[in-house]
Every structure is written in structure tokens, then in C-alpha cells.
Amino acid sequence: MDMEDYLPKKADDPLARLLTQDLDPMSLAELESRIAALEGEIARIRAKMKDAVNHKASAEALFRR
């Protein structure tokens, strides 16, 4: 799959802009900072996904009774 397959379809989407941003002018410190920020965002998204799964399981258990 190409990177374009992962891009949102809207041209003005913030994720699309982030993924297509030119990294060449960035320093090593800026790149490391960007990686740290993205890793933090990944952790936040994973926590949200875990909460959603737990919420769904709780709701399903409630309605099975």
C-alpha cells in the first residue's frame, strides 16, 4: 500500500497535511520532538480505543441480562 492509501480524502484534513509535510528543513531536535508528540498521540488514541471496547462490552453485558 502507498502512503496515499492512508491519507484522508479531504485535502484540508490536518492528518493529510501532517503526513505530507516536508521534513527536510527540520533539525534533529525538531524531528525528535515531533516523534515524541506523535507517540503521545498514538498512546492517547490507543487508550480511547481501549475505553471504547470496554464500554461496548459493558453495554452488551448489560443488555444480555
Side-chain angles (χ1 to χ4, degrees), residues 1 6 9 12 14 16 18 22-23 25 27-30 33 36 38-39 41-42 48 51-52 54 58-61 64:
M1 286 186 128
Y6 297 105
K9 301 305 175 203
D12 63 341
L18 177 73
D22 183 13
L23 301 177
S27 69
L28 285 177
E30 290 170 321
S33 176
L38 291 170
E39 287 173 341
E41 181 63 5
I42 289 167
K48 179 64 176 174
D51 289 345
N54 291 340
S58 296
E60 287 174 350
R64 269 191 227 134

PDB file of all heavy atoms in Angstrom, residues 1 6 9 12 14 16 18 22-23 25 27-30 33 36 38-39 41-42 48 51-52 54 58-61 64:
ATOM      1  N   MET A   1       0.839  -1.192   0.000  1.00  0.00           N
ATOM      2  CA  MET A   1       0.000   0.000   0.000  1.00  0.00           C
ATOM      3  C   MET A   1       0.880   1.250   0.000  1.00  0.00           C
ATOM      4  O   MET A   1       1.881   1.307   0.698  1.00  0.00           O
ATOM      5  CB  MET A   1      -0.875   0.033   1.236  1.00  0.00           C
ATOM      6  CG  MET A   1      -2.030  -0.927   1.236  1.00  0.00           C
ATOM      7  SD  MET A   1      -3.066  -0.633   2.675  1.00  0.00           S
ATOM      8  CE  MET A   1      -4.615  -0.484   1.863  1.00  0.00           C
ATOM      9  N   TYR A   6      -3.488   5.746   3.034  1.00  0.00           N
ATOM     10  CA  TYR A   6      -3.805   6.051   4.426  1.00  0.00           C
ATOM     11  C   TYR A   6      -4.266   7.490   4.631  1.00  0.00           C
ATOM     12  O   TYR A   6      -4.749   7.832   5.701  1.00  0.00           O
ATOM     13  CB  TYR A   6      -2.580   5.806   5.319  1.00  0.00           C
ATOM     14  CG  TYR A   6      -2.150   4.370   5.323  1.00  0.00           C
ATOM     15  CD1 TYR A   6      -1.015   3.965   4.628  1.00  0.00           C
ATOM     16  CD2 TYR A   6      -2.875   3.411   6.013  1.00  0.00           C
ATOM     17  CE1 TYR A   6      -0.610   2.636   4.633  1.00  0.00           C
ATOM     18  CE2 TYR A   6      -2.487   2.075   6.011  1.00  0.00           C
ATOM     19  CZ  TYR A   6      -1.356   1.707   5.324  1.00  0.00           C
ATOM     20  OH  TYR A   6      -0.967   0.388   5.326  1.00  0.00           O
ATOM     21  N   LYS A   9      -9.414  11.623   2.683  1.00  0.00           N
ATOM     22  CA  LYS A   9      -9.791  12.056   1.341  1.00  0.00           C
ATOM     23  C   LYS A   9      -9.890  13.568   1.202  1.00  0.00           C
ATOM     24  O   LYS A   9      -9.759  14.094   0.117  1.00  0.00           O
ATOM     25  CB  LYS A   9     -11.121  11.408   0.932  1.00  0.00           C
ATOM     26  CG  LYS A   9     -11.073   9.892   0.940  1.00  0.00           C
ATOM     27  CD  LYS A   9      -9.956   9.345   0.080  1.00  0.00           C
ATOM     28  CE  LYS A   9      -9.856   7.841   0.200  1.00  0.00           C
ATOM     29  NZ  LYS A   9      -8.566   7.303  -0.141  1.00  0.00           N
ATOM     30  N   ASP A  12      -7.875  19.324   2.953  1.00  0.00           N
ATOM     31  CA  ASP A  12      -7.569  20.224   4.062  1.00  0.00           C
ATOM     32  C   ASP A  12      -7.537  19.509   5.411  1.00  0.00           C
ATOM     33  O   ASP A  12      -7.454  20.146   6.447  1.00  0.00           O
ATOM     34  CB  ASP A  12      -8.569  21.375   4.096  1.00  0.00           C
ATOM     35  CG  ASP A  12      -9.999  20.899   4.339  1.00  0.00           C
ATOM     36  OD1 ASP A  12     -10.284  19.705   4.125  1.00  0.00           O
ATOM     37  OD2 ASP A  12     -10.829  21.727   4.743  1.00  0.00           O
ATOM     38  N   PRO A  14      -6.171  17.867   8.662  1.00  0.00           N
ATOM     39  CA  PRO A  14      -4.909  18.069   9.377  1.00  0.00           C
ATOM     40  C   PRO A  14      -3.972  16.862   9.300  1.00  0.00           C
ATOM     41  O   PRO A  14      -2.758  17.025   9.215  1.00  0.00           O
ATOM     42  CB  PRO A  14      -5.341  18.321  10.826  1.00  0.00           C
ATOM     43  CG  PRO A  14      -6.763  18.738  10.748  1.00  0.00           C
ATOM     44  CD  PRO A  14      -7.327  18.094   9.517  1.00  0.00           C
ATOM     45  N   ALA A  16      -3.722  14.710   6.818  1.00  0.00           N
ATOM     46  CA  ALA A  16      -3.138  14.700   5.475  1.00  0.00           C
ATOM     47  C   ALA A  16      -2.007  15.720   5.387  1.00  0.00           C
ATOM     48  O   ALA A  16      -0.948  15.427   4.821  1.00  0.00           O
ATOM     49  CB  ALA A  16      -4.203  15.002   4.430  1.00  0.00           C
ATOM     50  N   LEU A  18      -0.187  16.815   7.887  1.00  0.00           N
ATOM     51  CA  LEU A  18       0.903  16.329   8.726  1.00  0.00           C
ATOM     52  C   LEU A  18       1.729  15.270   7.993  1.00  0.00           C
ATOM     53  O   LEU A  18       2.960  15.298   8.003  1.00  0.00           O
ATOM     54  CB  LEU A  18       0.348  15.737  10.021  1.00  0.00           C
ATOM     55  CG  LEU A  18       1.362  15.124  10.971  1.00  0.00           C
ATOM     56  CD1 LEU A  18       2.183  16.212  11.650  1.00  0.00           C
ATOM     57  CD2 LEU A  18       0.670  14.272  12.004  1.00  0.00           C
ATOM     58  N   ASP A  22       6.943  18.484   4.463  1.00  0.00           N
ATOM     59  CA  ASP A  22       8.349  18.290   4.113  1.00  0.00           C
ATOM     60  C   ASP A  22       9.173  18.260   5.402  1.00  0.00           C
ATOM     61  O   ASP A  22       9.150  19.202   6.194  1.00  0.00           O
ATOM     62  CB  ASP A  22       8.815  19.427   3.206  1.00  0.00           C
ATOM     63  CG  ASP A  22      10.241  19.260   2.742  1.00  0.00           C
ATOM     64  OD1 ASP A  22      10.809  18.157   2.903  1.00  0.00           O
ATOM     65  OD2 ASP A  22      10.802  20.243   2.209  1.00  0.00           O
ATOM     66  N   LEU A  23       9.898  17.185   5.623  1.00  0.00           N
ATOM     67  CA  LEU A  23      10.709  17.031   6.829  1.00  0.00           C
ATOM     68  C   LEU A  23      12.143  17.523   6.633  1.00  0.00           C
ATOM     69  O   LEU A  23      12.886  17.648   7.613  1.00  0.00           O
ATOM     70  CB  LEU A  23      10.730  15.561   7.254  1.00  0.00           C
ATOM     71  CG  LEU A  23       9.383  14.920   7.552  1.00  0.00           C
ATOM     72  CD1 LEU A  23       9.573  13.440   7.895  1.00  0.00           C
ATOM     73  CD2 LEU A  23       8.654  15.643   8.660  1.00  0.00           C
ATOM     74  N   PRO A  25      13.605  20.465   6.057  1.00  0.00           N
ATOM     75  CA  PRO A  25      14.123  21.632   6.771  1.00  0.00           C
ATOM     76  C   PRO A  25      14.183  21.471   8.301  1.00  0.00           C
ATOM     77  O   PRO A  25      14.724  22.331   8.986  1.00  0.00           O
ATOM     78  CB  PRO A  25      13.152  22.756   6.398  1.00  0.00           C
ATOM     79  CG  PRO A  25      11.957  22.120   5.825  1.00  0.00           C
ATOM     80  CD  PRO A  25      12.324  20.729   5.434  1.00  0.00           C
ATOM     81  N   SER A  27      15.338  20.199  12.013  1.00  0.00           N
ATOM     82  CA  SER A  27      16.560  19.756  12.688  1.00  0.00           C
ATOM     83  C   SER A  27      16.294  18.421  13.372  1.00  0.00           C
ATOM     84  O   SER A  27      15.152  17.983  13.498  1.00  0.00           O
ATOM     85  CB  SER A  27      16.970  20.790  13.735  1.00  0.00           C
ATOM     86  OG  SER A  27      16.030  20.799  14.803  1.00  0.00           O
ATOM     87  N   LEU A  28      17.361  17.782  13.852  1.00  0.00           N
ATOM     88  CA  LEU A  28      17.206  16.527  14.582  1.00  0.00           C
ATOM     89  C   LEU A  28      16.350  16.731  15.832  1.00  0.00           C
ATOM     90  O   LEU A  28      15.505  15.893  16.152  1.00  0.00           O
ATOM     91  CB  LEU A  28      18.565  15.963  14.967  1.00  0.00           C
ATOM     92  CG  LEU A  28      19.364  15.322  13.836  1.00  0.00           C
ATOM     93  CD1 LEU A  28      20.724  14.873  14.343  1.00  0.00           C
ATOM     94  CD2 LEU A  28      18.624  14.157  13.226  1.00  0.00           C
ATOM     95  N   ALA A  29      16.557  17.829  16.532  1.00  0.00           N
ATOM     96  CA  ALA A  29      15.768  18.108  17.731  1.00  0.00           C
ATOM     97  C   ALA A  29      14.292  18.269  17.393  1.00  0.00           C
ATOM     98  O   ALA A  29      13.422  17.777  18.118  1.00  0.00           O
ATOM     99  CB  ALA A  29      16.294  19.356  18.435  1.00  0.00           C
ATOM    100  N   GLU A  30      14.010  18.950  16.295  1.00  0.00           N
ATOM    101  CA  GLU A  30      12.617  19.120  15.870  1.00  0.00           C
ATOM    102  C   GLU A  30      11.999  17.781  15.479  1.00  0.00           C
ATOM    103  O   GLU A  30      10.832  17.513  15.799  1.00  0.00           O
ATOM    104  CB  GLU A  30      12.528  20.101  14.694  1.00  0.00           C
ATOM    105  CG  GLU A  30      12.830  21.527  15.072  1.00  0.00           C
ATOM    106  CD  GLU A  30      12.964  22.443  13.866  1.00  0.00           C
ATOM    107  OE1 GLU A  30      13.537  22.022  12.841  1.00  0.00           O
ATOM    108  OE2 GLU A  30      12.488  23.581  13.959  1.00  0.00           O
ATOM    109  N   SER A  33      11.310  15.833  18.647  1.00  0.00           N
ATOM    110  CA  SER A  33      10.141  16.418  19.304  1.00  0.00           C
ATOM    111  C   SER A  33       8.866  15.986  18.600  1.00  0.00           C
ATOM    112  O   SER A  33       7.860  15.660  19.239  1.00  0.00           O
ATOM    113  CB  SER A  33      10.259  17.945  19.309  1.00  0.00           C
ATOM    114  OG  SER A  33       9.121  18.530  19.855  1.00  0.00           O
ATOM    115  N   ALA A  36       8.122  12.372  19.520  1.00  0.00           N
ATOM    116  CA  ALA A  36       7.577  12.291  20.879  1.00  0.00           C
ATOM    117  C   ALA A  36       6.108  12.705  20.904  1.00  0.00           C
ATOM    118  O   ALA A  36       5.277  12.055  21.554  1.00  0.00           O
ATOM    119  CB  ALA A  36       8.392  13.165  21.826  1.00  0.00           C
ATOM    120  N   LEU A  38       3.989  12.582  18.372  1.00  0.00           N
ATOM    121  CA  LEU A  38       3.208  11.569  17.671  1.00  0.00           C
ATOM    122  C   LEU A  38       3.044  10.306  18.511  1.00  0.00           C
ATOM    123  O   LEU A  38       1.963   9.703  18.522  1.00  0.00           O
ATOM    124  CB  LEU A  38       3.853  11.235  16.323  1.00  0.00           C
ATOM    125  CG  LEU A  38       3.787  12.358  15.274  1.00  0.00           C
ATOM    126  CD1 LEU A  38       4.664  12.014  14.077  1.00  0.00           C
ATOM    127  CD2 LEU A  38       2.367  12.637  14.854  1.00  0.00           C
ATOM    128  N   GLU A  39       4.095   9.913  19.241  1.00  0.00           N
ATOM    129  CA  GLU A  39       3.980   8.751  20.128  1.00  0.00           C
ATOM    130  C   GLU A  39       2.968   9.017  21.237  1.00  0.00           C
ATOM    131  O   GLU A  39       2.208   8.126  21.621  1.00  0.00           O
ATOM    132  CB  GLU A  39       5.342   8.381  20.704  1.00  0.00           C
ATOM    133  CG  GLU A  39       6.245   7.730  19.672  1.00  0.00           C
ATOM    134  CD  GLU A  39       7.664   7.498  20.161  1.00  0.00           C
ATOM    135  OE1 GLU A  39       8.098   8.136  21.149  1.00  0.00           O
ATOM    136  OE2 GLU A  39       8.358   6.670  19.539  1.00  0.00           O
ATOM    137  N   GLU A  41       0.385  10.974  20.943  1.00  0.00           N
ATOM    138  CA  GLU A  41      -0.923  10.921  20.291  1.00  0.00           C
ATOM    139  C   GLU A  41      -1.350   9.475  20.049  1.00  0.00           C
ATOM    140  O   GLU A  41      -2.516   9.125  20.223  1.00  0.00           O
ATOM    141  CB  GLU A  41      -0.893  11.701  18.971  1.00  0.00           C
ATOM    142  CG  GLU A  41      -2.209  11.729  18.231  1.00  0.00           C
ATOM    143  CD  GLU A  41      -3.343  12.433  18.971  1.00  0.00           C
ATOM    144  OE1 GLU A  41      -3.129  13.002  20.056  1.00  0.00           O
ATOM    145  OE2 GLU A  41      -4.479  12.405  18.452  1.00  0.00           O
ATOM    146  N   ILE A  42      -0.405   8.625  19.671  1.00  0.00           N
ATOM    147  CA  ILE A  42      -0.714   7.204  19.483  1.00  0.00           C
ATOM    148  C   ILE A  42      -1.191   6.595  20.793  1.00  0.00           C
ATOM    149  O   ILE A  42      -2.184   5.850  20.820  1.00  0.00           O
ATOM    150  CB  ILE A  42       0.514   6.444  18.923  1.00  0.00           C
ATOM    151  CG1 ILE A  42       0.760   6.856  17.467  1.00  0.00           C
ATOM    152  CG2 ILE A  42       0.327   4.929  19.039  1.00  0.00           C
ATOM    153  CD1 ILE A  42       2.098   6.407  16.924  1.00  0.00           C
ATOM    154  N   LYS A  48      -8.157   5.577  24.045  1.00  0.00           N
ATOM    155  CA  LYS A  48      -9.532   5.829  23.624  1.00  0.00           C
ATOM    156  C   LYS A  48     -10.148   4.569  23.025  1.00  0.00           C
ATOM    157  O   LYS A  48     -11.312   4.244  23.300  1.00  0.00           O
ATOM    158  CB  LYS A  48      -9.568   6.979  22.609  1.00  0.00           C
ATOM    159  CG  LYS A  48     -10.931   7.315  22.088  1.00  0.00           C
ATOM    160  CD  LYS A  48     -11.825   7.825  23.190  1.00  0.00           C
ATOM    161  CE  LYS A  48     -13.162   8.257  22.614  1.00  0.00           C
ATOM    162  NZ  LYS A  48     -14.093   8.621  23.669  1.00  0.00           N
ATOM    163  N   ASP A  51     -10.953   2.184  25.836  1.00  0.00           N
ATOM    164  CA  ASP A  51     -12.174   2.621  26.525  1.00  0.00           C
ATOM    165  C   ASP A  51     -13.421   2.287  25.710  1.00  0.00           C
ATOM    166  O   ASP A  51     -14.439   1.880  26.261  1.00  0.00           O
ATOM    167  CB  ASP A  51     -12.133   4.124  26.801  1.00  0.00           C
ATOM    168  CG  ASP A  51     -11.133   4.507  27.874  1.00  0.00           C
ATOM    169  OD1 ASP A  51     -10.660   3.605  28.611  1.00  0.00           O
ATOM    170  OD2 ASP A  51     -10.808   5.705  27.979  1.00  0.00           O
ATOM    171  N   ALA A  52     -13.338   2.465  24.392  1.00  0.00           N
ATOM    172  CA  ALA A  52     -14.487   2.186  23.534  1.00  0.00           C
ATOM    173  C   ALA A  52     -14.827   0.697  23.551  1.00  0.00           C
ATOM    174  O   ALA A  52     -16.000   0.325  23.619  1.00  0.00           O
ATOM    175  CB  ALA A  52     -14.208   2.651  22.107  1.00  0.00           C
ATOM    176  N   ASN A  54     -14.106  -1.441  25.986  1.00  0.00           N
ATOM    177  CA  ASN A  54     -14.637  -1.742  27.315  1.00  0.00           C
ATOM    178  C   ASN A  54     -16.068  -1.248  27.467  1.00  0.00           C
ATOM    179  O   ASN A  54     -16.910  -1.923  28.057  1.00  0.00           O
ATOM    180  CB  ASN A  54     -13.755  -1.138  28.405  1.00  0.00           C
ATOM    181  CG  ASN A  54     -12.414  -1.819  28.512  1.00  0.00           C
ATOM    182  OD1 ASN A  54     -12.236  -2.946  28.057  1.00  0.00           O
ATOM    183  ND2 ASN A  54     -11.456  -1.133  29.093  1.00  0.00           N
ATOM    184  N   SER A  58     -19.313  -3.613  28.153  1.00  0.00           N
ATOM    185  CA  SER A  58     -20.181  -3.347  29.305  1.00  0.00           C
ATOM    186  C   SER A  58     -21.637  -3.198  28.869  1.00  0.00           C
ATOM    187  O   SER A  58     -22.549  -3.729  29.511  1.00  0.00           O
ATOM    188  CB  SER A  58     -19.730  -2.077  30.030  1.00  0.00           C
ATOM    189  OG  SER A  58     -18.456  -2.241  30.574  1.00  0.00           O
ATOM    190  N   ALA A  59     -21.847  -2.482  27.780  1.00  0.00           N
ATOM    191  CA  ALA A  59     -23.211  -2.296  27.275  1.00  0.00           C
ATOM    192  C   ALA A  59     -23.805  -3.621  26.812  1.00  0.00           C
ATOM    193  O   ALA A  59     -24.980  -3.916  27.096  1.00  0.00           O
ATOM    194  CB  ALA A  59     -23.200  -1.288  26.118  1.00  0.00           C
ATOM    195  N   GLU A  60     -23.022  -4.429  26.123  1.00  0.00           N
ATOM    196  CA  GLU A  60     -23.510  -5.728  25.666  1.00  0.00           C
ATOM    197  C   GLU A  60     -23.856  -6.637  26.858  1.00  0.00           C
ATOM    198  O   GLU A  60     -24.861  -7.328  26.837  1.00  0.00           O
ATOM    199  CB  GLU A  60     -22.474  -6.396  24.765  1.00  0.00           C
ATOM    200  CG  GLU A  60     -22.376  -5.747  23.396  1.00  0.00           C
ATOM    201  CD  GLU A  60     -21.249  -6.314  22.543  1.00  0.00           C
ATOM    202  OE1 GLU A  60     -20.410  -7.084  23.084  1.00  0.00           O
ATOM    203  OE2 GLU A  60     -21.208  -5.967  21.358  1.00  0.00           O
ATOM    204  N   ALA A  61     -23.022  -6.603  27.895  1.00  0.00           N
ATOM    205  CA  ALA A  61     -23.290  -7.411  29.081  1.00  0.00           C
ATOM    206  C   ALA A  61     -24.562  -6.942  29.787  1.00  0.00           C
ATOM    207  O   ALA A  61     -25.351  -7.761  30.270  1.00  0.00           O
ATOM    208  CB  ALA A  61     -22.099  -7.346  30.040  1.00  0.00           C
ATOM    209  N   ARG A  64     -27.650  -8.154  27.840  1.00  0.00           N
ATOM    210  CA  ARG A  64     -27.831  -9.607  27.776  1.00  0.00           C
ATOM    211  C   ARG A  64     -28.610 -10.129  28.965  1.00  0.00           C
ATOM    212  O   ARG A  64     -29.125 -11.206  28.940  1.00  0.00           O
ATOM    213  CB  ARG A  64     -26.470 -10.293  27.748  1.00  0.00           C
ATOM    214  CG  ARG A  64     -25.977 -10.495  26.356  1.00  0.00           C
ATOM    215  CD  ARG A  64     -24.765 -11.415  26.349  1.00  0.00           C
ATOM    216  NE  ARG A  64     -23.782 -10.769  25.498  1.00  0.00           N
ATOM    217  CZ  ARG A  64     -22.509 -10.613  25.767  1.00  0.00           C
ATOM    218  NH1 ARG A  64     -21.997 -11.080  26.879  1.00  0.00           N
ATOM    219  NH2 ARG A  64     -21.712 -10.009  24.937  1.00  0.00           N
TER     220      ARG A  64
END
